[in-house]
Amino acid sequence: MRKIFIILAILLTILSVIFSALPLGTLALAPIFLALIAIFIAFKNSEIDQRKLPKRLFIVAYLCAIVVVGKTFLMKDKVAKDTKFEQQKVETKQEAKKDLEDLEKDLK
């Protein structure tokens, strides 16, 4: 039973590291929470001299949780106004009007 939870904890911890690196927001907390549960069960089922790996997995999972929470609350999303695009849009609209006026003159 211990080996099953150790394997599950390792897989969920790896998934937690991957999810915490990706820009998924708080969605990454789901595998972290599941990893912490699996690690806790593996820790409780281990003998005292076999608790080294679950302790390390706890550390990795907690660090992932801190990273996700830090990214969520400390980093602000900034939207920069693209002035080049706005200028191109205005120029394109003016060119389109000019083309339509030229077509009207040609039809008359």
Side-chain angles (χ1 to χ4, degrees), residues 7-20:
I7 292 170
L8 185 63
I10 290 171
L11 292 175
L12 287 170
T13 304
I14 291 170
L15 191 64
S16 299
V17 170
I18 293 170
F19 272 38
S20 64

Side-chain angles (χ1 to χ4, degrees), residues 58-71:
F58 264 127
I59 292 170
V60 173
Y62 282 131
L63 287 175
C64 289
I66 289 171
V67 167
V68 169
V69 171
K71 282 182 3 182

Side-chain angles (χ1 to χ4, degrees), residues 2 6 42-43 45-54:
R2 175 187 177 272
I6 289 289
F43 184 79
N45 289 340
S46 299
E47 293 180 16
I48 294 175
D49 59 336
Q50 295 177 333
R51 291 184 174 178
K52 197 177 210 180
L53 181 62

Side-chain angles (χ1 to χ4, degrees), residues 2 10 17 28 37 43 63 75 78 81 98 102 105:
R2 175 187 177 272
I10 290 171
V17 170
I37 291 172
F43 184 79
L63 287 175
M75 291 184 160
K78 294 181 182 178
K81 189 170 183 174
K98 185 180 177 191
D102 290 342
K105 287 180 185 177

